[in-house]
Amino acid sequence: MRLRLLPATLLTLLFVSPALSSPQHPLTNSLSTTLVDALSNNPNYTSLLRLLQRARLIPTLNKLNGSTLFAPTNDAVQHYLRENVLWHDAFHDDHLVLNDNVQEQLRQQLFYHLLNYTVSKLPTNRSTQTHKTLHYPRAPPDPPSRDPPPSPPWLPIPGGTLGGESQRLRVSGNDVGVDAFGKGGVKIVDTSTAGNGVIYGISKVLEPPSDLGRIIKVVSQQSSMSFFHKVLTPTMTKLLNSTPALTLFLPVDAAWDALDPYERLYLESEYSTNDLNQILNLHAVVEEGVRYSDTFGKATNLTTLDGSKLEIKVSPTNITISGANLVEPDILASNGVLHLVDSLLVPPGTLQLTPEKYLLALNCTIFVSLLHSVGLDTLINNTDAKYTILAPSDDVMSLYGDKELPEKGSEELKKLLRYHFLPGNWTLEKLADGMLLETALEEDGLAGRKQVLSVGVSPDVKKLAEKSIRFAGAKTIGNPIKVNNTLLYFISRPIVPPIDPLQTALPFLDLSAFLAAIFSTSQAEILRKAPHTSLFIPHNSAFKRLGLLVSAHLLSTSAKQDLENVLLHHALNTIEYAQSLRNGSQRTFSTLEGSDVRFDRLNNGSLYVSPSGGWTGMQSELFIKDLLTNTGVVHELSDILIPRSVNLTIGKLVKAAQGSTMASIAVKAGFEWMLNGTAPPEGFPWADEALPGVGWTLLCPTDNAFKDVNLTQLYADPDALRAIVAQHLIPARPLEDESLIYDADALYNNQPLPLDDSPTYNTLLSSKSAYGDLVFRWRDDPESKGYIVGIKGARGTDGSADWARVLSWGRSTTAGGGGVIQIDRLLQPYYPPWWISYGAPAAVGIGGCTLICLFFYGVRLVWQRDTAEATYEPIGGFGRDDES
């Protein structure tokens, strides 16, 4: 045998080492009856003998003098073989092909059944005896090695994971392997003696204690130990399993109940690793030897892995560890010992309650996970900073798929999450409807300023005494929770930060016309990205209120520059929220177009905006909306603002009125100055009519109105051309009452001339023709409802050339005002026929002559009557004529 080949000195050193102190005895060469003989003589141990042979421990048992073997019976071994693969394989290895290092686990487990001294008498009063076995637990090599152990494997080698001590085994009455209170264990069913010891037959195979991690799992099956196992992390398990000579004081479940309920929920989450590691270190002690309870003195101080001190006090009736009672001592493990205590050994203030712990405890784990993914966990772990946190719960977040939220770890997600943090503590008492609160989100488009969100406060419909709070439209759920310097609100949905102003306004259909105009120009990107701006967007009706010809001009392809200037005139260079607009003292603001707009605040709270250009009286009512964007804010207007950089001439409006033929006639007639908005040249026949401050309104027939006109003949007649233009050209003096009138309906000032109440206007032809004036009427006929215009006094024809329907109009911004009125027919200058021109005077003359003649004829008749009726004869008779 290999045993005989070992030097006697090695055997002596192994079995008389300090670790095997009295009452253990060294091996001897006695030839008396050995434990092996006793086992062989008892047919109940044949299975055990077979395993001892496989583990090559027969020589060891033969050489022991004064030992104790707890021998599993055949039934115990056979039952264990069905549960343990290694024992099963070793038992059935008839060819002894298993190497010694493969048998190490079997050998060590058999050593756990063996004491190097004789226990001749077992306790009978249920007291507990603790004995040291020949099992020295060791951590397996990592990584596993194929090399044989450095010493004979069948010899118990002192050392290992218990600080050089062998594993302990407790006996109480007829039970072995019991706990500190004598409970549990396996039954002793038989006793026999040998020359070198005693054998106690046992009903089950003894399992050596495993590492602390597995021990805790077993202990956790008790209801009083479930919580620690529930929060056990892989990192903690690794520490428990790999740390040698570890003494652990583990609090029972009742001890954990002393924590705040939310903190308990936090410790159960995946984010409590650091705190759990700290808690474990506060309860763990590592010294040269394992600190079993019998090593505690009356006053012992132990240093934990965290560096704190544990003060142990021993009295005849109790043991306390830093004030906690020792509930159950000495739960054995392969790398230490476990003591159960009834309180947490955590110094006050060690576990700080952070907002993160509350969020996790209150089912906001997805929100916290997203914060961690973008490195914003400091916002929920900093207990010094004051924040109001708007947190959606997991139930809310689960409604949003991965595609509805920015990608984890992305910058977009980081911005979204920052928008849920408000500096300061905004309690319910501080919140008011319409407030804008600053968030932790810094926007590049705000020039470094913090983004804001809106607050809505309204009475709760179900609970009239309470307020219903909304942040950026998201309703709050439940009451806020105060956590140190942090206030938590739970909201009904995630809050998305404001987007660019054009996308912000896109869902509002009443703003679509202005947005379409923006997207049709090169200024869309400027208005989308210009930082620190306020965008005023007119309603769709504003284009009609502007005048159809002005709108048509601005939206035409030839007027891109004018349209772009108009659009930029609606964007302020500053961010003006509702508060500053209503209560601020500033009246003028610069725009991206370069000129200013003016604000007028009325006593009734209305706000009106006037542009830098346009016509006299142009203004728009401001509807404050506070539509937040990533560059500022959007408000709404009733009307479009025209800057002074946009010069709406009659020529531009004529083009918009589809009046190129009329424009050509005006140019050929010498009225080009009128189209350009300038004064007439010297020597022009009507130069005296162009008085200072006087504008011009041109009635512009559409090109279709000239389809029956011989333009060649017309162009060859300069006088006819001038007469046609003069017939359509009305001097337009500014209205005296056209100062700023604050009226929500601005249609009153988009007409070049007032058209209501059947007005009559002189034209440029009126000074040279009695039929130069024009009259406007309103007709309510279903087929021709609208304004019509006609030549005053024209008659005697079918009227087709004397009147026209008004189709649309547009106002000029040139000096003096005026504009263009689009009509559907050409108004030919009226020249009445000769019977109309001369018939009346002739009739009057003839009638007068006739009346005169009749008058004198009547006088003669009267005279004749008077002479014929004489009643006397003159004395002397009649005259000579009578005589003759």
Side-chain angles (χ1 to χ4, degrees):
M1 292 184 180
R2 296 182 186 180
L3 182 61
R4 294 175 182 174
L5 299 177
L6 290 174
T9 54
L10 178 58
L11 294 175
T12 304
L13 286 173
L14 291 174
F15 285 90
V16 299
S17 64
L20 302 178
S21 57
S22 179
Q24 301 183 19
H25 304 284
L27 287 171
T28 68
N29 290 324
S30 173
L31 298 178
S32 59
T33 303
T34 64
L35 294 174
V36 175
D37 295 332
L39 292 172
S40 301
N41 293 331
N42 192 333
N44 207 23
Y45 299 114
T46 56
S47 296
L48 177 60
L49 275 172
R50 186 179 181 87
L51 289 169
L52 290 171
Q53 290 172 350
R54 297 295 187 267
R56 298 188 173 96
L57 289 181
I58 296 298
T60 304
L61 292 179
N62 284 332
K63 296 300 181 180
L64 288 174
N65 185 22
S67 58
T68 303
L69 176 63
F70 295 97
T73 64
N74 289 341
D75 290 341
V77 171
Q78 292 301 319
H79 182 270
Y80 196 67
L81 291 180
R82 291 193 292 270
E83 300 175 354
N84 191 287
V85 176
L86 185 141
W87 278 48
H88 178 274
D89 292 344
F91 186 84
H92 295 287
D93 182 20
D94 296 330
H95 303 289
L96 299 176
V97 297
L98 296 177
N99 297 322
D100 287 333
N101 53 347
V102 179
Q103 301 286 6
E104 174 67 13
Q105 185 176 345
L106 171 63
R107 188 176 298 112
Q108 289 299 322
Q109 189 167 354
L110 291 173
F111 276 142
Y112 186 60
H113 293 73
L114 186 61
L115 313 180
N116 195 25
Y117 54 90
T118 301
V119 180
S120 57
K121 185 177 181 180
L122 299 175
T124 58
N125 56 354
R126 302 305 299 175
S127 62
T128 302
Q129 292 178 353
T130 300
H131 300 283
K132 295 182 178 181
T133 69
L134 290 179
H135 170 49
Y136 290 86
R138 279 179 169 77
D142 189 16
S145 173
R146 292 182 177 273
D147 298 331
S151 56
W154 54 86
L155 297 178
I157 307 301
T161 56
L162 292 177
E165 295 188 16
S166 62
Q167 186 56 271
R168 296 186 170 198
L169 182 66
R170 285 188 288 256
V171 180
S172 177
N174 285 330
D175 297 315
V176 61
V178 297
D179 61 18
F181 301 108
K183 297 179 180 179
V186 300
K187 293 293 183 181
I188 299 175
V189 296
D190 184 32
T191 304
S192 57
T193 59
N196 62 340
V198 62
I199 299 174
Y200 293 102
I202 55 177
S203 60
K204 290 183 180 180
V205 175
L206 296 175
E207 286 273 7
S210 57
D211 50 59
L212 277 167
R214 293 185 179 88
I215 291 296
I216 290 173
K217 181 177 181 180
V218 173
V219 174
S220 68
Q221 295 175 359
Q222 307 172 19
S223 59
S224 62
M225 289 303 304
S226 60
F227 185 79
F228 184 79
H229 180 259
K230 185 177 183 179
V231 300
L232 200 58
T233 66
T235 301
M236 297 168 65
T237 301
K238 183 177 180 180
L239 183 143
L240 293 173
N241 292 343
S242 61
T243 304
L246 178 61
T247 302
L248 181 64
F249 298 91
L250 184 60
V252 296
D253 283 352
W256 299 95
D257 291 339
L259 293 176
D260 186 283
Y262 296 126
E263 196 162 17
R264 280 174 54 92
L265 289 175
Y266 161 70
L267 291 176
E268 296 175 26
S269 73
E270 59 182 305
Y271 303 106
S272 60
T273 301
N274 292 336
D275 282 328
L276 289 172
N277 288 339
Q278 185 180 15
I279 291 174
L280 178 60
N281 291 337
L282 286 167
H283 293 77
V285 175
V286 176
E287 295 183 348
E288 291 184 1
V290 178
R291 299 309 300 262
Y292 298 101
S293 61
D294 57 14
T295 66
F296 297 158
K298 289 186 177 181
T300 303
N301 289 327
L302 302 178
T303 302
T304 67
L305 292 178
D306 189 66
S308 61
K309 298 292 183 181
L310 297 180
E311 184 181 359
I312 299 178
K313 295 181 179 180
V314 179
S315 67
T317 59
N318 193 23
I319 298 177
T320 61
I321 295 88
S322 295
N325 294 312
L326 185 61
V327 176
E328 182 175 348
D330 300 331
I331 300 175
L332 305 175
S334 63
N335 62 325
V337 67
L338 175 64
H339 303 292
L340 300 185
V341 293
D342 65 355
S343 298
L344 283 168
L345 307 179
V346 178
T350 302
L351 292 179
Q352 200 166 25
L353 197 60
T354 63
E356 178 178 17
K357 297 174 184 178
Y358 266 93
L359 289 170
L360 292 169
L362 294 168
N363 199 32
C364 295
T365 60
I366 298 176
F367 182 65
V368 172
S369 175
L370 294 176
L371 288 169
H372 278 267
S373 75
V374 293
L376 293 180
D377 48 296
T378 54
L379 291 175
I380 51 177
N381 286 320
N382 187 347
T383 56
D384 295 328
K386 286 188 176 181
Y387 278 111
T388 297
I389 303 177
L390 311 177
S393 67
D394 289 351
D395 295 336
V396 171
M397 296 296 288
S398 62
L399 300 177
Y400 293 81
D402 294 337
K403 295 182 180 180
E404 297 185 56
L405 292 174
E407 185 180 352
K408 271 194 174 185
S410 65
E411 190 63 28
E412 290 77 12
L413 178 61
K414 190 172 186 178
K415 291 174 63 175
L416 182 145
L417 295 174
R418 279 190 175 275
Y419 199 54
H420 290 73
F421 289 80
L422 315 178
N425 289 158
W426 290 96
T427 59
L428 293 173
E429 295 75 18
K430 295 180 181 179
L431 299 177
D433 189 50
M435 291 180 68
L436 294 178
L437 302 182
E438 211 173 58
T439 69
L441 172 60
E442 293 184 6
E443 282 278 18
D444 294 337
L446 300 180
R449 289 176 57 176
K450 300 289 183 65
Q451 184 60 273
V452 298
L453 61 72
S454 61
V455 177
V457 180
S458 59
D460 193 306
V461 177
K462 295 182 179 180
K463 301 178 181 179
L464 297 179
E466 299 182 7
K467 291 191 288 188
S468 175
I469 307 296
R470 299 176 307 281
F471 291 101
K475 192 172 182 180
T476 57
I477 301 172
N479 294 321
I481 297 175
K482 184 71 180 295
V483 185
N484 298 325
N485 290 324
T486 302
L487 192 65
L488 299 179
Y489 284 92
F490 300 96
I491 54 177
S492 60
R493 61 172 174 82
I495 300 175
V496 179
I499 52 180
D500 70 73
L502 304 187
Q503 291 294 324
T504 299
L506 201 57
F508 297 89
L509 297 180
D510 197 33
L511 308 180
S512 59
F514 194 79
L515 289 177
I518 291 176
F519 288 123
S520 70
T521 70
S522 61
Q523 303 301 314
E525 282 304 300
I526 293 177
L527 292 172
R528 185 195 304 276
K529 297 180 179 179
H532 202 247
T533 55
S534 301
L535 183 61
F536 298 139
I537 301 182
H539 297 154
N540 291 347
S541 59
F543 284 92
K544 180 178 179 181
R545 292 155 66 89
L546 189 63
L548 294 183
L549 294 186
V550 177
S551 298
H553 164 69
L554 292 177
L555 298 177
S556 66
T557 56
S558 60
K560 289 295 184 185
Q561 188 60 52
D562 283 350
L563 177 59
E564 290 177 356
N565 288 339
V566 169
L567 298 177
L568 294 177
H569 198 56
H570 289 75
L572 305 187
N573 280 323
T574 60
I575 300 176
E576 301 298 331
Y577 299 117
Q579 182 71 16
S580 61
L581 288 175
R582 289 194 179 101
N583 305 320
S585 59
Q586 186 174 352
R587 293 194 61 187
T588 60
F589 298 89
S590 62
T591 67
L592 294 182
E593 175 266 339
S595 59
D596 295 345
V597 294
R598 188 182 77 248
F599 284 78
D600 293 282
R601 302 172 177 89
L602 274 61
N603 293 333
N604 63 1
S606 299
L607 281 170
Y608 286 84
V609 186
S610 300
S612 63
W615 46 80
T616 303
M618 174 174 274
Q619 44 84 40
S620 174
E621 185 175 6
L622 174 64
F623 304 102
I624 295 176
K625 296 298 182 181
D626 272 346
L627 300 177
L628 303 177
T629 74
N630 60 4
T631 59
V633 67
V634 172
H635 300 292
E636 297 179 10
L637 292 176
S638 65
D639 293 272
I640 293 173
L641 306 175
I642 305 294
R644 58 172 170 261
S645 60
V646 174
N647 186 20
L648 297 175
T649 64
I650 290 178
K652 292 179 179 179
L653 297 177
V654 166
K655 187 175 181 180
Q658 302 175 7
S660 59
T661 304
M662 187 64 184
S664 177
I665 291 175
V667 171
K668 288 183 177 296
F671 285 86
E672 185 176 2
W673 54 269
M674 176 265 300
L675 297 177
N676 296 331
T678 59
E682 293 183 8
F684 189 75
W686 281 283
D688 294 339
E689 297 291 339
L691 300 175
V694 175
W696 302 93
T697 297
L698 177 67
L699 274 64
C700 180
T702 63
D703 291 339
N704 192 50
F706 291 89
K707 63 183 180 179
D708 295 328
V709 177
N710 188 336
L711 294 178
T712 302
Q713 180 181 352
L714 182 61
Y715 288 160
D717 188 350
D719 293 335
L721 288 175
R722 283 192 291 270
I724 287 177
V725 175
Q727 181 70 75
H728 291 77
L729 195 58
I730 301 174
R733 291 177 174 81
L735 298 177
E736 295 180 357
D737 60 346
E738 203 171 40
S739 58
L740 284 181
I741 303 174
Y742 297 108
D743 189 343
D745 186 356
L747 284 174
Y748 73 93
N749 73 350
N750 68 359
Q751 297 175 347
L753 298 169
L755 302 181
D756 295 328
D757 301 326
S758 302
T760 299
Y761 292 102
N762 295 333
T763 68
L764 204 58
L765 191 63
S766 296
S767 62
K768 294 180 172 52
S769 172
Y771 298 96
D773 293 352
L774 297 177
V775 179
F776 288 87
R777 296 281 191 275
W778 175 262
R779 295 181 64 174
D780 276 327
D781 297 345
E783 296 182 358
S784 59
K785 188 174 184 180
Y787 292 106
I788 61 171
V789 58
I791 298 174
K792 184 177 181 180
R795 60 189 181 276
T797 68
D798 61 359
S800 60
D802 304 334
W803 67 275
R805 291 186 180 89
V806 174
L807 303 179
S808 61
W809 55 79
R811 194 165 179 179
S812 170
T813 61
T814 56
V820 172
I821 297 177
Q822 183 188 39
I823 57 178
D824 68 343
R825 292 177 184 171
L826 175 68
L827 299 177
Q828 296 279 4
Y830 180 70
Y831 300 106
W834 65 268
W835 61 83
I836 294 178
S837 298
Y838 302 107
V844 171
I846 294 172
C849 292
T850 302
L851 290 175
I852 293 172
C853 292
L854 291 173
F855 174 76
F856 284 104
Y857 178 75
V859 170
R860 181 177 177 82
L861 290 177
V862 170
W863 177 259
Q864 290 178 351
R865 182 180 177 183
D866 288 343
T867 58
E869 293 181 358
T871 57
Y872 61 89
E873 181 180 344
I875 296 177
F878 296 98
R880 285 177 296 184
D881 292 337
D882 296 333
E883 290 179 28
S884 58

